[in-house]
Amino acid sequence: MIPHAAGRPLLTPVDRDAAVRAHRLRTLGLGRRSDGSFDDFDAFANRVAEVTEVPFSMVNFIDGNRQFYAGLHTPAGTHKGSDLGATAANSSRTGRYVALDRGYCPHVVARRKALVLEDVCDYPRFAGNPVVDDMGIRSYLGAPLIDRTGIALGAVCAVDTVPRPWGRAGLDTIKSLARELVRYMDRREENSLGI
């Protein structure tokens, strides 16, 4: 555990790969929003929400300092990070950045394993997360996005405001969606390199 600036413990696990991940995200041109180049990630987040039947879903890249919602589905369909407590990098863009202590994707990335929380309130470590009180989050299903270099770049997740019995089917679904998105990112990199 590392201390949080507000004096309460930050229960996000220590991320030993943060520097390597941040470099890889910069190389891939991921981790920050520019000129609408992330519309495909928003479309993927919409698909995750549809498949898992949840009000919120994200494609989340984590650079070690913050989280970036490259893909976002919200109940209003606005793709606004402010619906999830995110902030904008500057006043002209929709907020897509959140602190590492908001939500559960940093756990998925640091652990490099899927995380299934049918009811976050059943786990003291996760029940105290700010998203529980701020947004009413009660259920989380996420899987890491591990690219061809073996780096966990981020996570894809489905989030609900009611407890959900995800079961094995939910776990298999989110892992399959993560693999699909990684294949897409690999093709995107190959195309940019002219491979």
Side-chain angles (χ1 to χ4, degrees):
M1 254 187 303
I2 52 180
H4 186 272
R8 64 182 166 84
L10 177 62
L11 299 176
T12 304
V14 175
D15 184 357
R16 301 192 194 304
D17 296 329
V20 173
R21 179 180 314 103
H23 181 265
R24 180 77 174 135
L25 287 169
R26 281 191 305 275
T27 299
L28 294 172
L30 301 172
R32 63 187 181 281
R33 192 166 185 93
S34 61
D35 70 5
S37 61
F38 287 92
D39 291 345
D40 44 352
F41 290 108
D42 281 338
F44 194 84
N46 288 342
R47 186 159 159 260
V48 170
E50 182 179 323
V51 168
T52 59
E53 299 177 337
V54 296
F56 298 99
S57 62
M58 287 75 86
V59 173
N60 197 356
F61 296 118
I62 299 171
D63 70 5
N65 297 312
R66 62 187 179 180
Q67 303 176 68
F68 170 65
Y69 298 138
L72 180 60
H73 174 86
T74 62
T78 61
H79 301 289
K80 288 185 179 177
S82 58
D83 294 346
L84 296 169
T87 59
N90 63 51
S91 59
S92 67
R93 297 220 165 89
T94 300
R96 294 284 184 119
Y97 301 94
V98 295
L100 292 175
D101 68 341
R102 292 189 62 85
Y104 310 106
C105 289
H107 294 271
V108 170
V109 172
R111 293 167 15 125
R112 300 173 54 84
K113 293 200 276 187
L115 179 62
V116 179
L117 300 171
E118 294 184 345
D119 186 343
V120 299
C121 294
D122 288 343
Y123 305 90
R125 177 178 196 165
F126 300 118
N129 195 285
V131 297
V132 175
D133 291 333
D134 295 351
M135 298 171 41
I137 298 303
R138 288 293 300 274
S139 188
Y140 175 90
L141 178 67
L145 299 169
I146 301 174
D147 80 345
R148 72 169 107 221
T149 66
I151 298 171
L153 300 174
V156 60
C157 69
V159 179
D160 208 336
T161 56
V162 296
R164 292 281 300 265
W166 298 111
R168 183 67 190 191
L171 177 62
D172 291 344
T173 297
I174 202 69
K175 289 167 82 175
S176 175
L177 288 164
R179 286 190 300 270
E180 179 182 332
L181 187 55
V182 168
R183 285 192 300 271
Y184 165 77
M185 292 187 314
D186 287 345
R187 285 191 308 272
R188 181 180 172 181
E189 180 182 22
E190 290 169 359
N191 290 339
S192 73
L193 297 173
I195 296 176

